[in-house]
């Protein structure tokens, strides 16, 4: 049996173009993905994050289509493709796509599965990237491994496509439903935690600890004041002991960031905004609650009705521990029904007002009403 080796000229131009496109778009997907995920890069690119997020999803969707093309169009026959060049992109590419879709569809999938999907989306991309490098290396050196087994040459057909894509999709289902990822994350904790050292026992790691200023602002409880101001009868500056004396409010809720990561079942403890209203007595015209951070940059705004939702609180504990400094110590807002950017950290002023303010991310185009939706 004769084997026709790869010759550029014999491939249809559209297929070569597609191949180059796939490589280019993979690189762009990695670059935009890293920009969204890695806090250091993330912070430097703040004004562009909303658009980078859209680009990442658009590229991902096109990437998905390019993976399916060989299924739609029969490739020229002649045993020309190494089996692993065909099997690996499907086996690894399919679960990257599936986990990506899970991250995109925030309200469509359970948070626990999505938080695993986030981890696997990253790990599988690293695997895929490593394979592309090996593939490029082989090609550049013109190395031709012995043609048998996984290194054998095949004509990719639809049956093969279906088999390996299904295997990849099934794999994605398995890793997001059960959790072999916890093994990997225990070995390399920085992969899911933004590289800030281990969390205290019982405290869940968040996908990233964001900050829009350089570093995480520090505050001692002795210096801390919570200003409660605005259109109110009795404006106040609460010391930490005053904050503590307000009746405690507890809840367990999922947390979601717009950039894809989620944390299931976070236990928050803190105070409900209705308690602050009892203290300062807002006047009749108050329609908004505005929030300010002592990082000097971040701000947020909620309608009064939103702020009084039973799920909204000012939290000082998470999973039974005081907040970490990165998480907004000593006090942060938590709005579980909305994307994470509403949950302002390092809270220092709550203002009851007839007017809303434009929050930090809202200035960069994020919507004011940040209710979780499935996707963009
Ligand atoms: N002051 C301040 N609050 C903030 C942010 C920030 O950068 N600064 N990031 C927001 C975003 S986009 C998210 S997703 C959550 C992240 O919470 P975490 O840092 O505890 O993970 O905090 C929100 N509150
Ligand atoms: Mo976020």
């Amino acid at each position: 049996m004769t084997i026709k080796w790869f010759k550029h000229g014999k491939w249809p131009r559209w297929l070569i173009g597609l191949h180059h496109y796939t490589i280019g778009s993979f690189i762009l997907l990695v670059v935009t993905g890293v920009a969204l995920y890695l806090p250091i890069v993330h912070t430097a690119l703040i004004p562009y994050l909303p658009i980078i997020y859209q680009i990442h999803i658009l590229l991902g969707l096109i990437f998905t289509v390019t993976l399916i093309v060989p299924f739609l169009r029969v490739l020229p026959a002649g045993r020309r493709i190494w089996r692993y060049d065909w099997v690996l992109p499907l086996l690894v590419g399919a679960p990257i796509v599936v986990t990506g879709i899970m991250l995109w569809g925030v309200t469509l999938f359970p948070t626990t599965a999505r938080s695993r999907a986030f981890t696997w989306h990253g790990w599988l991309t690293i695997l895929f990237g490593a394979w592309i490098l090996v593939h490029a290396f082989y090609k550049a050196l013109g190395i031709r491994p012995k043609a048998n087994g996984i290194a054998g040459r095949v004509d990719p057909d639809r049956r093969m496509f279906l088999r390996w894509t299904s295997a990849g999709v099934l794999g994605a289902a398995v890793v997001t439903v059960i959790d072999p990822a916890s093994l990997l994350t225990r070995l390399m904790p920085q992969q899911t935690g933004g590289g800030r050292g281990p969390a205290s026992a019982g405290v869940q790691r968040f996908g990233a600890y964001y900050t829009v200023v350089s570093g995480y602002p520090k505050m001692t409880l002795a210096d801390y004041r919570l200003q409660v101001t605005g259109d109110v009868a009795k404006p106040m500056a609460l010391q930490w002991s005053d904050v503590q004396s307000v009746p405690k409010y507890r809840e367990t809720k999922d947390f979601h960031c717009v950039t894809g990561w989620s944390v299931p079942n976070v236990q928050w403890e803190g105070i409900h905004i209705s308690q602050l209203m009892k203290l300062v007595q807002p006047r009749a015209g108050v329609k908004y609650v505005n929030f300010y951070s002592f990082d000097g940059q971040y701000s947020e705004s909620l309608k009064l009705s939103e702020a009084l939702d039973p799920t909204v609180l000012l939290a000082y504990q998470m999973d039974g521990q005081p907040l970490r400094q990165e998480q907004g110590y000593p006090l942060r807002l938590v709005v579980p029904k909305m994307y994470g950017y509403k949950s302002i950290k390092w809270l220092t002023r709550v203002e009851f007002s007839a007017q809303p303010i434009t929050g930090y991310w809202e200035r960069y185009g994020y919507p004011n009403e940040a209710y979780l939706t499935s996707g963009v």
Side-chain angles (χ1 to χ4, degrees):
M1 183 170 43
T2 52
I3 291 169
K4 295 179 198 161
W5 292 109
F6 176 93
K7 285 212 186 60
H8 245 288
K10 295 197 174 166
W11 291 86
R13 284 177 72 102
W14 68 266
L15 201 59
I16 297 169
L18 185 73
H19 191 59
H20 292 157
Y21 174 81
T22 306
I23 295 167
S25 82
F26 182 77
I27 293 169
L28 279 175
L29 276 162
V30 169
V31 169
T32 50
V34 164
L36 287 173
Y37 170 65
L38 259 196
I40 304 171
V41 188
H42 184 110
T43 307
L45 293 174
I46 277 167
Y48 311 104
L49 288 180
I51 184 82
I52 291 175
Y53 180 74
Q54 307 288 345
I55 291 173
H56 188 78
I57 287 173
L58 188 68
L59 286 171
L61 291 173
I62 302 175
F63 184 78
T64 309
V65 174
T66 66
L67 276 181
I68 312 177
V69 162
F71 181 69
L72 304 176
R73 253 186 99 160
V74 177
L75 300 184
R79 304 192 143 259
R80 307 209 254 189
I81 298 185
W82 274 322
R83 191 190 296 272
Y84 59 66
D85 275 352
W86 185 236
V87 167
L88 285 178
L90 294 178
L91 195 61
V92 180
I96 293 178
V97 166
V98 170
T99 50
I101 291 170
M102 289 176 71
L103 295 176
W104 188 27
V106 179
T107 53
L108 297 180
F109 301 91
T111 308
T112 316
R114 289 186 69 254
S115 77
R116 288 172 192 153
F118 187 80
T119 308
W120 281 98
H121 198 66
W123 280 110
L124 291 170
T125 303
I126 291 171
L127 193 66
F128 201 89
W131 170 73
I132 286 184
L133 288 180
V134 171
H135 169 94
F137 185 72
Y138 267 97
K139 231 166 115 173
L141 295 188
I143 296 174
R144 289 165 183 171
K146 251 177 102 189
N148 55 35
I150 189 71
R153 292 204 172 235
V154 291
D155 285 335
D157 59 14
R158 286 182 175 162
R159 238 186 43 224
M160 207 178 191
F161 174 90
L162 277 181
R163 187 183 319 143
W164 292 107
T165 310
S166 323
V169 170
L170 192 72
V174 168
V175 296
T176 53
V177 174
I178 46 182
D179 190 16
S182 65
L183 251 178
L184 290 174
T185 45
R186 236 170 286 155
L187 292 173
M188 306 194 71
Q190 72 275 17
Q191 193 56 32
T192 52
R196 296 283 144 191
S200 352
V203 177
Q204 303 189 63
R205 303 195 64 90
F206 269 37
Y209 298 119
Y210 290 145
T211 178
V212 297
V213 296
S214 59
Y216 305 101
K218 235 189 191 124
M219 176 65 73
T220 64
L221 294 184
D223 289 337
Y224 183 77
R225 295 291 179 277
L226 178 65
Q227 310 279 344
V228 191
T229 63
D231 206 0
V232 298
K234 296 194 237 168
M236 286 185 175
L238 305 181
Q239 301 186 4
W240 190 246
S241 56
D242 302 328
V243 174
Q244 294 288 295
S245 65
V246 177
K248 222 179 203 180
Y249 192 79
R250 284 195 186 85
E251 71 182 7
T252 301
K253 286 280 179 292
D254 300 345
F255 191 89
H256 304 276
C257 173
V258 271
T259 60
W261 54 270
S262 295
V263 195
N265 301 320
V266 190
Q267 293 169 35
W268 299 108
E269 277 178 40
I271 60 188
H272 194 255
I273 291 171
S274 59
Q275 300 287 348
L276 290 185
M277 292 179 68
K278 279 190 194 162
L279 294 173
V280 300
Q281 298 164 21
R283 298 208 178 84
V286 165
K287 289 204 176 65
Y288 295 90
V289 190
N290 303 325
F291 302 88
Y292 302 85
S293 170
F294 59 76
D295 68 12
Q297 289 288 321
Y298 213 88
S299 58
E300 259 309 334
S301 188
L302 291 174
K303 287 183 188 154
L304 184 62
S305 55
E306 293 168 342
L308 291 178
D309 186 279
T311 62
V312 172
L313 79 166
L314 309 183
Y316 42 74
Q317 286 209 339
M318 180 187 144
D319 291 340
Q321 309 268 340
L323 297 178
R324 295 156 64 94
Q325 188 192 337
E326 305 92 303
Q327 283 182 317
Y329 181 86
L331 193 69
R332 76 178 296 170
L333 178 68
V334 176
V335 190
K337 290 182 184 169
M338 299 191 182
Y339 283 109
Y341 66 89
K342 292 306 254 189
S343 296
I344 180 174
K345 303 189 284 188
W346 308 293
L347 185 66
T348 189
R349 184 149 77 95
V350 178
E351 175 188 60
F352 293 93
S353 172
Q355 301 298 330
I357 55 168
T358 305
Y360 186 87
W361 281 109
E362 287 79 348
R363 262 177 267 150
Y364 295 115
Y366 279 18
N368 248 320
E369 292 256 323
Y371 284 109
L372 305 172
T373 57
S374 51
V376 220

